[in-house]
Amino acid sequence: MSIEKDINVALIGYGFVGKTFHAPLIQSVPGLKLHVVSSGSEEKVKKDLPDVIVLDSPEAAIQHADIDLVVIASPNATHAPLAKLALNAGKHVVVDKPFTLDLEEARELAALAHEKKLLLSVFQNRRWDTDYLGVKKVIDSGAIGQVKHFESHIDRFRPEVRDRWREHDIPGSGLWFDIGPHIIDQALQLFGLPETVSGDIAVLRHGGKINDWAHVTLSYPEHKVILHASMLAAGGVSRFTVHGDKGSIVKPKADQQEAQLLAGVVPGSASWGEDQDDLMIFDSNLHVTSVKTPKGDQRQYYIQVREALAGKQANPVSPVQAIAVMAVLEAAVRSSETGTVQKLALSEAEAGAFYQLS
């Protein structure tokens, strides 16, 4: 595939994710033009984006003649059908996480994109978070030796159940399908596919209708990965805790790019991606050293999508990688429901392709 002109983008959905992440990141990348937005609230979109075309029909936005790339940021249950429609219309597609509701849908979309020779990618912007980049850099340096225990938390304090689709008991809702894809993807990028998955997923808030707490263990031959998400953590938990056979890493606070976007910071501006929260490195003598956290830049996802569409690099988040994330998501749910340890429902071909592309 090769697109050499400016890439016209249709954004499907202008809720929190579309407004906060996709629109500003797309607009900040030269060569991408946000041309159409699908939303039922034209006034809301025009206030932020006066020059875009606003259509209340996702189908009309997808089939707009001038569109090259469709970005799907609508509710999770719509991801697969809208992505299928876009691929059949000859459009390249970016899907917000989770990729789909299940592995079957994921495989169908991957096969369709391959058949149509179109780019199909999943928005894993947190590969360019400061906290993850910092921890990865220290692990890769060998400073803590072989990792034995890796713990990743994305916790929030939202004790009140809110009236929004993510907190209703509908397909694709709940904290695990919201946060799980991010922390799974980061773990798979670092360590590859686990041998088994053990999950405990629960509803802990009074009046909660869908899971708001998840604790999942990925088991590897020589180390364990703990993935945790909660809506009832007011503080006191580090974003990352990593123990190796020569030392440890603690990253207390999370990346601030989401907070910057909410505050109106322009992606790519001078303060963009700065992280004043240092990494703490503990050596074998239990001495601790503070190390500056590298800058993050979630724009890199869309920069690399642009480059992939120009034929200059590979898809930054391929369908095979997204299928692997879906397999872990599903395995954790099965484990929680049955109380048993689960293996990933991936074929040998899928596992092999994952490693070829990672």
Side-chain angles (χ1 to χ4, degrees):
M1 64 188 72
S2 179
I3 297 179
E4 307 216 343
K5 63 179 181 62
D6 278 357
I7 297 162
N8 283 332
V9 181
L11 174 59
I12 311 302
Y14 201 69
F16 175 77
V17 171
K19 173 184 170 69
T20 306
F21 291 97
H22 291 280
L25 291 174
I26 291 166
Q27 287 189 296
S28 73
V29 175
L32 298 185
K33 179 184 177 183
L34 186 54
H35 188 54
V36 174
V37 174
S38 171
S39 171
S41 179
E42 182 174 3
E43 182 178 351
K44 173 184 172 183
V45 177
K46 285 290 191 179
K47 182 179 178 182
D48 299 334
L49 307 167
D51 297 329
V52 305
I53 298 168
V54 181
L55 300 173
D56 62 4
S57 162
E59 293 78 12
I62 287 169
Q63 294 167 345
H64 192 285
D66 296 335
I67 294 302
D68 305 300
L69 173 66
V70 174
V71 175
I72 298 171
S74 48
N76 297 347
T78 69
H79 288 184
L82 291 179
K84 184 176 181 180
L85 180 67
L87 291 168
N88 279 323
K91 315 293 187 180
H92 302 287
V93 178
V94 164
V95 185
D96 200 275
K97 54 76 206 167
F99 183 25
T100 59
L101 296 184
D102 56 44
L103 268 172
E104 181 180 356
E105 287 184 334
R107 287 167 172 147
E108 287 177 357
L109 288 183
L112 181 60
H114 179 75
E115 175 192 332
K116 299 288 186 180
K117 296 181 172 57
L118 294 166
L119 180 135
L120 173 62
S121 189
V122 177
F123 184 61
Q124 288 291 2
N125 55 317
R126 290 188 181 273
R127 292 189 187 182
W128 294 275
D129 276 4
T130 58
D131 45 33
Y132 169 72
L133 292 173
V135 166
K136 183 180 187 300
K137 184 177 181 180
V138 176
I139 291 172
D140 289 346
S141 76
I144 65 165
Q146 294 295 313
V147 172
K148 297 300 178 181
H149 173 109
F150 179 92
E151 193 158 342
S152 174
H153 281 247
I154 294 185
D155 296 322
R156 297 164 176 164
F157 189 61
R158 295 177 182 168
E160 300 297 327
V161 177
R162 294 190 288 177
D163 184 17
R164 57 179 193 151
W165 72 262
R166 291 185 188 277
E167 299 189 46
H168 293 171
D169 187 10
I170 58 175
S173 63
L175 186 63
W176 180 235
F177 264 62
D178 183 24
I179 299 301
H182 285 311
I183 52 181
I184 292 168
D185 181 71
Q186 290 176 339
L188 297 190
Q189 289 301 297
L190 287 171
F191 304 115
L193 302 173
E195 290 187 333
T196 60
V197 177
S198 177
D200 190 357
I201 302 170
V203 182
L204 297 185
R205 293 179 300 171
H206 179 71
K209 300 174 182 177
I210 193 67
N211 64 80
D212 51 28
W213 183 92
H215 189 87
V216 174
T217 301
L218 311 185
S219 292
Y220 295 81
E222 296 186 357
H223 70 278
K224 299 283 188 179
V225 169
I226 309 297
L227 306 178
H228 189 92
S230 172
M231 299 287 263
L232 287 171
V237 181
S238 295
R239 172 66 181 91
F240 286 106
T241 304
V242 189
H243 302 303
D245 56 13
K246 293 182 181 178
S248 298
I249 313 166
V250 175
K251 177 63 172 76
K253 296 180 181 178
D255 174 273
Q256 292 299 299
Q257 288 175 88
E258 179 174 343
Q260 288 186 316
L261 288 167
L262 286 167
V265 175
V266 176
S269 60
S271 63
W272 172 249
E274 290 282 358
D275 190 339
Q276 303 304 318
D277 179 58
D278 290 349
L279 296 153
M280 299 167 61
I281 315 299
F282 296 80
D283 66 19
S284 57
N285 295 314
L286 308 187
H287 296 148
V288 61
T289 303
S290 292
V291 176
K292 183 172 175 57
T293 303
K295 287 185 73 170
D297 188 2
Q298 293 182 7
R299 293 179 308 156
Q300 287 300 318
Y301 173 77
Y302 274 115
I303 290 171
Q304 293 188 30
V305 165
R306 179 198 66 197
E307 295 300 280
L309 290 174
K312 297 178 180 179
Q313 73 154 75
N315 184 346
V317 185
S318 66
V320 167
Q321 293 173 338
I323 285 170
V325 171
M326 291 302 306
V328 177
L329 274 175
E330 287 194 358
V333 172
R334 289 197 308 272
S335 175
S336 183
E337 291 175 345
T338 64
T340 60
V341 174
Q342 295 286 315
K343 290 186 176 293
L344 300 184
L346 293 175
S347 68
E348 288 186 13
E350 287 169 335
F354 172 85
Y355 284 110
Q356 287 178 352
L357 295 171
S358 297

